[in-house]
PDB file of all heavy atoms in Angstrom:
ATOM      1  N   SER X 100      10.081  -0.389 -21.923  1.00 97.00           N
ATOM      2  CA  SER X 100      10.890   0.688 -22.504  1.00 97.00           C
ATOM      3  C   SER X 100      11.113   0.458 -23.992  1.00 97.00           C
ATOM      4  O   SER X 100      11.164  -0.684 -24.454  1.00 97.00           O
ATOM      5  CB  SER X 100      12.268   0.739 -21.842  1.00 97.00           C
ATOM      6  OG  SER X 100      12.157   1.003 -20.483  1.00 97.00           O
ATOM      7  N   MET X 101      11.263   1.584 -24.715  1.00 97.00           N
ATOM      8  CA  MET X 101      11.506   1.499 -26.151  1.00 97.00           C
ATOM      9  C   MET X 101      12.756   2.298 -26.496  1.00 97.00           C
ATOM     10  O   MET X 101      12.838   3.477 -26.135  1.00 97.00           O
ATOM     11  CB  MET X 101      10.328   2.158 -26.878  1.00 97.00           C
ATOM     12  CG  MET X 101       9.459   1.193 -27.595  1.00 97.00           C
ATOM     13  SD  MET X 101       8.334   2.108 -28.620  1.00 97.00           S
ATOM     14  CE  MET X 101       6.857   1.499 -27.953  1.00 97.00           C
ATOM     15  N   ALA X 102      13.689   1.683 -27.179  1.00 96.00           N
ATOM     16  CA  ALA X 102      14.894   2.399 -27.606  1.00 96.00           C
ATOM     17  C   ALA X 102      14.474   3.591 -28.457  1.00 96.00           C
ATOM     18  O   ALA X 102      13.567   3.472 -29.286  1.00 96.00           O
ATOM     19  CB  ALA X 102      15.792   1.473 -28.408  1.00 96.00           C
ATOM     20  N   GLY X 103      15.114   4.730 -28.243  1.00 96.00           N
ATOM     21  CA  GLY X 103      14.812   5.916 -29.045  1.00 96.00           C
ATOM     22  C   GLY X 103      13.937   6.905 -28.303  1.00 96.00           C
ATOM     23  O   GLY X 103      13.862   8.073 -28.679  1.00 96.00           O
ATOM     24  N   LEU X 104      13.272   6.468 -27.236  1.00 96.00           N
ATOM     25  CA  LEU X 104      12.433   7.402 -26.471  1.00 96.00           C
ATOM     26  C   LEU X 104      13.207   7.884 -25.255  1.00 96.00           C
ATOM     27  O   LEU X 104      13.814   7.079 -24.538  1.00 96.00           O
ATOM     28  CB  LEU X 104      11.132   6.736 -26.013  1.00 96.00           C
ATOM     29  CG  LEU X 104      10.182   6.280 -27.118  1.00 96.00           C
ATOM     30  CD1 LEU X 104       8.865   5.823 -26.526  1.00 96.00           C
ATOM     31  CD2 LEU X 104       9.937   7.397 -28.130  1.00 96.00           C
ATOM     32  N   GLU X 105      13.169   9.197 -25.049  1.00 93.00           N
ATOM     33  CA  GLU X 105      13.896   9.754 -23.917  1.00 93.00           C
ATOM     34  C   GLU X 105      13.082   9.559 -22.640  1.00 93.00           C
ATOM     35  O   GLU X 105      12.020  10.165 -22.478  1.00 93.00           O
ATOM     36  CB  GLU X 105      14.131  11.242 -24.168  1.00 93.00           C
ATOM     37  CG  GLU X 105      15.358  11.741 -23.468  1.00 93.00           C
ATOM     38  CD  GLU X 105      15.683  13.168 -23.868  1.00 93.00           C
ATOM     39  OE1 GLU X 105      15.885  13.403 -25.088  1.00 93.00           O
ATOM     40  OE2 GLU X 105      15.680  14.010 -22.970  1.00 93.00           O
ATOM     41  N   THR X 106      13.536   8.668 -21.786  1.00 95.00           N
ATOM     42  CA  THR X 106      12.832   8.402 -20.525  1.00 95.00           C
ATOM     43  C   THR X 106      13.877   8.258 -19.419  1.00 95.00           C
ATOM     44  O   THR X 106      15.063   8.094 -19.690  1.00 95.00           O
ATOM     45  CB  THR X 106      12.009   7.097 -20.610  1.00 95.00           C
ATOM     46  OG1 THR X 106      12.850   6.065 -21.109  1.00 95.00           O
ATOM     47  CG2 THR X 106      10.797   7.239 -21.514  1.00 95.00           C
ATOM     48  N   ARG X 107      13.408   8.281 -18.186  1.00 95.00           N
ATOM     49  CA  ARG X 107      14.328   8.228 -17.047  1.00 95.00           C
ATOM     50  C   ARG X 107      15.090   6.894 -16.980  1.00 95.00           C
ATOM     51  O   ARG X 107      16.239   6.843 -16.606  1.00 95.00           O
ATOM     52  CB  ARG X 107      13.514   8.428 -15.762  1.00 95.00           C
ATOM     53  CG  ARG X 107      14.325   8.621 -14.525  1.00 95.00           C
ATOM     54  CD  ARG X 107      13.407   8.941 -13.364  1.00 95.00           C
ATOM     55  NE  ARG X 107      12.771  10.235 -13.533  1.00 95.00           N
ATOM     56  CZ  ARG X 107      13.211  11.352 -12.989  1.00 95.00           C
ATOM     57  NH1 ARG X 107      14.280  11.341 -12.228  1.00 95.00           N
ATOM     58  NH2 ARG X 107      12.577  12.483 -13.179  1.00 95.00           N
ATOM     59  N   TYR X 108      14.398   5.795 -17.322  1.00 96.00           N
ATOM     60  CA  TYR X 108      15.034   4.462 -17.281  1.00 96.00           C
ATOM     61  C   TYR X 108      14.953   3.826 -18.662  1.00 96.00           C
ATOM     62  O   TYR X 108      14.015   4.083 -19.409  1.00 96.00           O
ATOM     63  CB  TYR X 108      14.308   3.557 -16.279  1.00 96.00           C
ATOM     64  CG  TYR X 108      14.199   4.155 -14.899  1.00 96.00           C
ATOM     65  CD1 TYR X 108      13.013   4.739 -14.466  1.00 96.00           C
ATOM     66  CD2 TYR X 108      15.291   4.156 -14.033  1.00 96.00           C
ATOM     67  CE1 TYR X 108      12.918   5.307 -13.199  1.00 96.00           C
ATOM     68  CE2 TYR X 108      15.201   4.715 -12.764  1.00 96.00           C
ATOM     69  CZ  TYR X 108      14.010   5.293 -12.358  1.00 96.00           C
ATOM     70  OH  TYR X 108      13.921   5.857 -11.124  1.00 96.00           O
ATOM     71  N   GLN X 109      15.908   2.971 -18.965  1.00 94.00           N
ATOM     72  CA  GLN X 109      15.955   2.338 -20.299  1.00 94.00           C
ATOM     73  C   GLN X 109      15.463   0.895 -20.296  1.00 94.00           C
ATOM     74  O   GLN X 109      15.313   0.290 -21.347  1.00 94.00           O
ATOM     75  CB  GLN X 109      17.398   2.369 -20.841  1.00 94.00           C
ATOM     76  CG  GLN X 109      17.906   3.774 -21.127  1.00 94.00           C
ATOM     77  CD  GLN X 109      16.913   4.600 -21.949  1.00 94.00           C
ATOM     78  OE1 GLN X 109      16.420   4.143 -22.974  1.00 94.00           O
ATOM     79  NE2 GLN X 109      16.597   5.804 -21.486  1.00 94.00           N
ATOM     80  N   ASP X 110      15.247   0.332 -19.098  1.00 94.00           N
ATOM     81  CA  ASP X 110      15.005  -1.116 -19.050  1.00 94.00           C
ATOM     82  C   ASP X 110      13.743  -1.481 -18.266  1.00 94.00           C
ATOM     83  O   ASP X 110      13.707  -2.493 -17.588  1.00 94.00           O
ATOM     84  CB  ASP X 110      16.225  -1.799 -18.415  1.00 94.00           C
ATOM     85  CG  ASP X 110      16.589  -1.143 -17.087  1.00 94.00           C
ATOM     86  OD1 ASP X 110      15.890  -0.173 -16.687  1.00 94.00           O
ATOM     87  OD2 ASP X 110      17.542  -1.603 -16.435  1.00 94.00           O
ATOM     88  N   VAL X 111      12.725  -0.638 -18.367  1.00 97.00           N
ATOM     89  CA  VAL X 111      11.481  -0.944 -17.648  1.00 97.00           C
ATOM     90  C   VAL X 111      10.734  -2.040 -18.403  1.00 97.00           C
ATOM     91  O   VAL X 111      10.632  -2.013 -19.632  1.00 97.00           O
ATOM     92  CB  VAL X 111      10.596   0.324 -17.540  1.00 97.00           C
ATOM     93  CG1 VAL X 111       9.249  -0.011 -16.909  1.00 97.00           C
ATOM     94  CG2 VAL X 111      11.325   1.399 -16.754  1.00 97.00           C
ATOM     95  N   ASP X 112      10.248  -3.030 -17.659  1.00 98.00           N
ATOM     96  CA  ASP X 112       9.482  -4.121 -18.286  1.00 98.00           C
ATOM     97  C   ASP X 112       8.456  -4.600 -17.257  1.00 98.00           C
ATOM     98  O   ASP X 112       8.690  -5.565 -16.534  1.00 98.00           O
ATOM     99  CB  ASP X 112      10.434  -5.247 -18.705  1.00 98.00           C
ATOM    100  CG  ASP X 112       9.704  -6.334 -19.478  1.00 98.00           C
ATOM    101  OD1 ASP X 112       8.512  -6.155 -19.795  1.00 98.00           O
ATOM    102  OD2 ASP X 112      10.336  -7.370 -19.776  1.00 98.00           O
ATOM    103  N   LEU X 113       7.349  -3.883 -17.192  1.00 98.00           N
ATOM    104  CA  LEU X 113       6.317  -4.168 -16.195  1.00 98.00           C
ATOM    105  C   LEU X 113       5.055  -4.658 -16.891  1.00 98.00           C
ATOM    106  O   LEU X 113       4.782  -4.275 -18.031  1.00 98.00           O
ATOM    107  CB  LEU X 113       5.957  -2.884 -15.434  1.00 98.00           C
ATOM    108  CG  LEU X 113       7.056  -2.247 -14.580  1.00 98.00           C
ATOM    109  CD1 LEU X 113       6.688  -0.810 -14.235  1.00 98.00           C
ATOM    110  CD2 LEU X 113       7.260  -3.069 -13.313  1.00 98.00           C
ATOM    111  N   VAL X 114       4.296  -5.487 -16.189  1.00 98.00           N
ATOM    112  CA  VAL X 114       2.983  -5.870 -16.705  1.00 98.00           C
ATOM    113  C   VAL X 114       1.963  -5.596 -15.599  1.00 98.00           C
ATOM    114  O   VAL X 114       2.066  -6.142 -14.505  1.00 98.00           O
ATOM    115  CB  VAL X 114       2.947  -7.363 -17.098  1.00 98.00           C
ATOM    116  CG1 VAL X 114       1.544  -7.756 -17.537  1.00 98.00           C
ATOM    117  CG2 VAL X 114       3.943  -7.630 -18.226  1.00 98.00           C
ATOM    118  N   ILE X 115       1.022  -4.708 -15.895  1.00 98.00           N
ATOM    119  CA  ILE X 115      -0.011  -4.367 -14.925  1.00 98.00           C
ATOM    120  C   ILE X 115      -1.239  -5.217 -15.217  1.00 98.00           C
ATOM    121  O   ILE X 115      -1.758  -5.193 -16.332  1.00 98.00           O
ATOM    122  CB  ILE X 115      -0.418  -2.874 -15.053  1.00 98.00           C
ATOM    123  CG1 ILE X 115       0.810  -1.962 -15.115  1.00 98.00           C
ATOM    124  CG2 ILE X 115      -1.380  -2.469 -13.947  1.00 98.00           C
ATOM    125  CD1 ILE X 115       1.613  -1.836 -13.895  1.00 98.00           C
ATOM    126  N   VAL X 116      -1.704  -5.952 -14.204  1.00 98.00           N
ATOM    127  CA  VAL X 116      -2.935  -6.737 -14.337  1.00 98.00           C
ATOM    128  C   VAL X 116      -3.960  -6.120 -13.385  1.00 98.00           C
ATOM    129  O   VAL X 116      -3.813  -6.183 -12.168  1.00 98.00           O
ATOM    130  CB  VAL X 116      -2.688  -8.223 -14.000  1.00 98.00           C
ATOM    131  CG1 VAL X 116      -3.999  -9.002 -14.028  1.00 98.00           C
ATOM    132  CG2 VAL X 116      -1.682  -8.837 -14.967  1.00 98.00           C
ATOM    133  N   ARG X 117      -4.964  -5.513 -13.980  1.00 98.00           N
ATOM    134  CA  ARG X 117      -5.943  -4.739 -13.200  1.00 98.00           C
ATOM    135  C   ARG X 117      -7.292  -5.459 -13.189  1.00 98.00           C
ATOM    136  O   ARG X 117      -7.781  -5.831 -14.261  1.00 98.00           O
ATOM    137  CB  ARG X 117      -6.051  -3.364 -13.856  1.00 98.00           C
ATOM    138  CG  ARG X 117      -7.266  -2.568 -13.514  1.00 98.00           C
ATOM    139  CD  ARG X 117      -7.292  -1.297 -14.361  1.00 98.00           C
ATOM    140  NE  ARG X 117      -8.547  -0.597 -14.210  1.00 98.00           N
ATOM    141  CZ  ARG X 117      -8.980   0.368 -15.010  1.00 98.00           C
ATOM    142  NH1 ARG X 117      -8.229   0.774 -16.017  1.00 98.00           N
ATOM    143  NH2 ARG X 117     -10.149   0.940 -14.813  1.00 98.00           N
ATOM    144  N   GLU X 118      -7.871  -5.616 -12.009  1.00 97.00           N
ATOM    145  CA  GLU X 118      -9.224  -6.182 -11.932  1.00 97.00           C
ATOM    146  C   GLU X 118     -10.156  -5.158 -12.570  1.00 97.00           C
ATOM    147  O   GLU X 118     -10.078  -3.969 -12.291  1.00 97.00           O
ATOM    148  CB  GLU X 118      -9.602  -6.451 -10.470  1.00 97.00           C
ATOM    149  CG  GLU X 118     -10.703  -7.499 -10.284  1.00 97.00           C
ATOM    150  CD  GLU X 118     -12.080  -7.064 -10.754  1.00 97.00           C
ATOM    151  OE1 GLU X 118     -12.406  -5.867 -10.558  1.00 97.00           O
ATOM    152  OE2 GLU X 118     -12.834  -7.863 -11.305  1.00 97.00           O
TER     153      GLU X 118
END
Side-chain angles (χ1 to χ4, degrees):
S100 298
M101 251 190 238
L104 296 188
E105 207 173 301
T106 50
R107 189 174 293 263
Y108 306 101
Q109 294 311 310
D110 52 0
V111 175
D112 186 7
L113 296 163
V114 176
I115 312 291
V116 175
R117 162 186 171 195
E118 202 291 322

